[in-house]
Amino acid sequence: MALAIKLDSKAPSGPLESRWTRHKDSLKLVSPANKRKYTILVVGTGLAGASAAASLAELGYNVKSFCIHDSPRRAHSIAAQGGINAAKNYRNDGDSVWRLFFDTIKGGDYRARESNVYRLAELSVNIIDQCVAQGVPFAREYGGLLDTRSFGGALVERTFYARGQTGQQLLLGAYSAMMRQVDAGRITLYPRREMLDLVVINGQARGIVCRNLITGELEAYAGDAVVLCTGGYGNIYFHTTYGRSSNATAIWRCHKRGALFANPCFTQIHPTCIPITGTYQSKLTLMSESLRNDGRVWVPKKKGDTRPPTEIPEDERDYFLERKYPTYGNLTPRDIASRAVKAVCDEGRGVGPTGRAVYLDFSDAIREKGIDYIKEQYGNLFEMYQHITGEDPYKVPMRIYPAVHYTMGGLWVDYNLMSTIPGLFVLGEANFSDHGANRLGASALMQGLADGYFIIPYTIGDYFANTTLPKVSTEHSAFKDSLAEVQRFLTRLLSIKGTKTTLEFHRELGMILWDYVGMSRNAQGLQIAIEKIRQLREEFWNDLKVHGDANTLNKNLEMAGRVADFLELAELMAIDALHREESCGAHFREEYQTPEGEALRNDEKFCYVAAWEYTGDLSKPELHKEPLVFEFVKPTVRSYK
Amino acid sequence: MSKKMTLHLRIWRQPGPNAPGKFVTYTIRDVSPDMSLLELLDVLNEELIKKGEPPVEFDSDCREGICGTCGFLVNGVAHGPKRGRTACQQYLRDFKDGETITLEPFRAKAFPVIKDLVVDRSAFDRIMAAGGYISVNTGSAPDANSIPIPKEIAEQAFDAAVCIGCGACVAACPNASASLFVSAKIAHLALLPQGQPERVRRVLRMVEQMDKEGFGDCSNHGECEAVCPKNISIKHIALMRREYLRALWSL
Ligand SMILES: Cc1cc2nc3c(=O)[nH]c(=O)nc-3n(C[C@H](O)[C@H](O)[C@H](O)COP(=O)(O)OP(=O)(O)OC[C@H]3O[C@@H](n4cnc5c(N)ncnc54)[C@H](O)[C@@H]3O)c2cc1C
Ligand code: FES
């Protein structure tokens, strides 16, 4: 039942610099007295959700805030380490809004909307102001002013940071703004709730159904709009840098209710993570990109060289990133760095017990800048590395390998951040909006906060002012239907009583995706992946074993529901990857590469956003294309040499 | 490859908030010392599910020591034997082969048990709502560099701001006091120029809420500092006391 969807990005036209200002001026407003009549359901409390909830409540809206965690402060944004970009040009090193815009568009390999990305760059400056005013303790110089450092894909130092825990400090800032509104009675918190369905009435998003994770009860909430800020779906790969509860469930259920899913195959694999050591391992830990400011990446020149790193002389080392990309060196963007790491390991020059790792070496920086400097910059990361591996990175180089880290794909949204379901807005990593086919480091925090602090407060008002919203309550039959459907889903999971656990299915799915829909892809592999995913899904619904009941805290049941959704989304990712017969950013199709092995885009055929519609048949999604028009930058071959 | 280990886990099992609980011991063989303690619980849970027994409920999310979701007592110590780390950062290499490890939930009146090792720490959110913020509406901030802050001050504020809200300080305190948690936020904001306008109100309200939640008083045992996974210093509690007295005087 394909819908007659016409994708209208609502992106303004005219001069780029004034697009957002003109757009804001054209938006309708809701009067202060009327704002409290609107109830907004904000799902998720990461940077996107917390900043949105706080800002909307400050305006006077009545906000209900939901999260899976036991406190809003624990959303996975907390784990972001390295920093946040902003075009402040405090360093006088040639940065500007234009340059941040340009770097982001180029970094995304020309698969993002110019209007959105320019707005993001523009708002980046306000974010830093806002956070400092909240008391976020960014790193400072001796003069008392803010310090910055470099991140990948940029030749300027525009990344603001708070030691190695920038995400934590930014999230605690947004959380505190939120808690102030809780105190003011304008936000009601609903922690330990998992959204399991979206309720659509007369074509408008009017509510959600959640499971209370403590009591197991299903709960319905009605509202005038739903703002989805539920983060990325990268956990689909099993071994990732995400937190345990990161999931695709909220966006996937919205997709099944009519929201288009854009570019699902664009997933970021981060080059510097602590390698896998065993099958029991539950997650991979990131070593921030900021480390590449001072760490040098290398492998031995010789294959199978098993000498300890300190015994390999300088001229027998291959600093392959510096060699291949002299201009950007160790700070080449993530997609390129990850592929380069994979390539040297495929050649047999990888190090460590598994041969799937390269060195990230700080000895030169320690010699030149002193150990205290390194401690101050990266102390907590070095400590984390030591806790996990038992090795001291001040003495021996770190061993690192790429891991799944971020999803550029997500629900399709227009310039107002509204999905194809009116009244359903999607913010942060959950949407697809600004990073094209590859996200630059330190840009996700920026996007989440731009969406929540500075965009949604404007665009949601315009939606309310232009929309008739009949009163609905949870007594409406649509809520009853949704509750019954979710109940059936949970009962079904519990009644299979098979032999394989959720974890086993999840691990198997992750392996399929990593092998065939991972760092490099090809048509044949993708077809195999689709077959395998279908089989695994079938097996899941026949042989799953979940323990216990639905009417109590049951984390195993929660995970089972998430894995059920991953098994569906996985097929869409493979279908999307198969259809995109080009290489761009993180999507590397082996059939399409330059003689040097770099990504080969096909702008003639694929310069569009692939937005998929759920048709009722998981294997036959319908493709809608939003053409990408480049008026201000000319797509060229992305070079970091 | 390092040698495999056998471990016995003596775990507090409690099916619900009002149900009685008891310790149950499980043995897990052939595990790698490079495994984390929570991964050991994952392995145990897989075995239990396969056997048709209820898995052990415990909270965790980031599994890298930053979100503050995990936390229980390991052999009586909040988060476990290695200091300055969370439960998710404890590795089996720091236990002895054949050892019996006792796991039980954080015990405090203000942290009721929900199930097994999972407790309710929402009291912390309510304390934060009482004043753990600087009132600045979105959009009204001046340029970030218009308020220079000496590096030492910024660093001191940071040392307090690193709190992850895990609740270990409460669990370790003989009085179940939340003073380290509350003082960390008060110190973070009181040290910064942005925090000055609300300094008095903040400390009064947060302390009042802390008392209301049923946390005990601080009597300087210092157990909180010893278990804090972020090494937050007890000196912040002294600062909080000064702030509190100063606030009372200023009324
Ligand atoms: C280890 C790590 C380091 C990173 N470092 C950086 C960095 O240095 N710079 C940078 O720019 N980016 C970084 N990133 C990326 C960045 O942190 C994330 O993209 C960003 O924080 C996502 O924010 P979010 O608000 O969209 O989602 P999240 O912070 O993931 O929040 C999701 C929220 O949704 C809730 N939720 C999810 N599903 C449901 C549901 N079904 N029902 C109810 N609630 C739900 C969760 O409880 C949570 O509150 C890093 C990411 C990782 C994993
Ligand atoms: S799980 Fe996040 S701190 Fe342990």
Side-chain angles (χ1 to χ4, degrees), chain B residues 185-199:
Chain B
K185 188 44 64 184
I186 287 179
H188 161 209
L189 298 178
L191 284 163
L192 295 173
Q194 304 93 303
Q196 300 313 308
E198 290 165 295
R199 208 166 143 184

Side-chain angles (χ1 to χ4, degrees), chain A residues 207-220:
Chain A
I208 60 173
V209 164
C210 295
R211 182 161 176 272
N212 179 322
L213 300 179
I214 297 177
T215 64
E217 263 163 289
L218 295 183
E219 303 168 342

Side-chain angles (χ1 to χ4, degrees), chain A residues 58 132 175 283 501 555, chain B residues 46 59 61 64 125 138 194:
Chain A
E58 284 164 13
V132 167
Y175 161 78
K283 77 157 300 182
T501 64
K555 287 180 191 269
Chain B
E46 285 292 287
D59 269 330
D61 196 51
E64 54 188 60
D125 284 327
T138 303
Q194 304 93 303

Side-chain angles (χ1 to χ4, degrees), chain A residues 55 58 69-74 76 78-79 81 88 90 128-130 132-135 137 140-146 162-163 165 168-169 172 175-176 179-180 183 192 214 243-245 280-283 285 376 384 387-390 453-454 499 501 503-504 545 547 552-556, chain B residues 32 34-35 39 42 46 49-50 52-55 57-64 66-69 85 89 91 93 114-115 118-119 121 125 128-129 132-145 147-149 151 154-155 158-159 161-165 181 188 192 194 201 205:
Chain A
S55 307
E58 284 164 13
H69 296 88
D70 70 320
S71 162
R73 64 182 289 156
R74 308 203 200 281
H76 200 51
I78 202 92
Q81 301 170 349
K88 281 284 197 188
Y90 281 158
I128 303 301
D129 299 343
Q130 184 64 32
V132 167
Q134 287 167 348
R140 289 180 183 265
E141 296 179 330
Y142 283 101
L145 302 179
L146 295 170
R163 293 190 195 155
Q165 50 220 81
Q168 180 199 25
Q169 295 307 318
L172 293 182
Y175 161 78
S176 71
M179 296 315 282
R180 173 174 162 239
D183 189 44
R192 291 204 198 258
I214 297 177
R244 302 292 284 170
S245 59
Y280 52 80
Q281 197 163 340
S282 55
K283 77 157 300 182
T285 301
E376 186 191 314
M384 213 192 269
H387 291 171
I388 294 171
T389 62
Y453 283 135
F454 297 112
T499 63
T501 64
L503 191 84
E504 288 171 314
K545 187 176 177 81
H547 183 86
T552 169
L553 174 69
N554 185 344
K555 287 180 191 269
N556 189 226
Chain B
S32 156
D34 288 331
M35 202 183 254
E39 284 163 357
D42 292 341
E46 285 292 287
I49 293 168
K50 293 243 169 186
E53 290 177 34
E57 299 293 355
F58 63 97
D59 269 330
S60 79
D61 196 51
C62 74
R63 297 216 172 175
E64 54 188 60
I66 192 73
C67 71
T69 308
R85 299 189 192 184
Q89 294 176 301
Y91 285 82
R93 61 177 91 95
I114 294 173
K115 192 171 180 177
V118 178
V119 298
R121 289 168 293 190
D125 284 327
M128 291 294 280
Y133 48 77
I134 289 171
S135 297
V136 46
N137 280 358
T138 303
S140 57
D143 182 83
N145 261 350
I147 335 166
I149 302 175
K151 192 176 167 73
E155 294 290 327
F158 203 115
D159 290 339
V162 294
C163 171
I164 58 174
F181 168 77
H188 161 209
L192 295 173
Q194 304 93 303
R201 176 183 183 270
R205 292 196 68 200

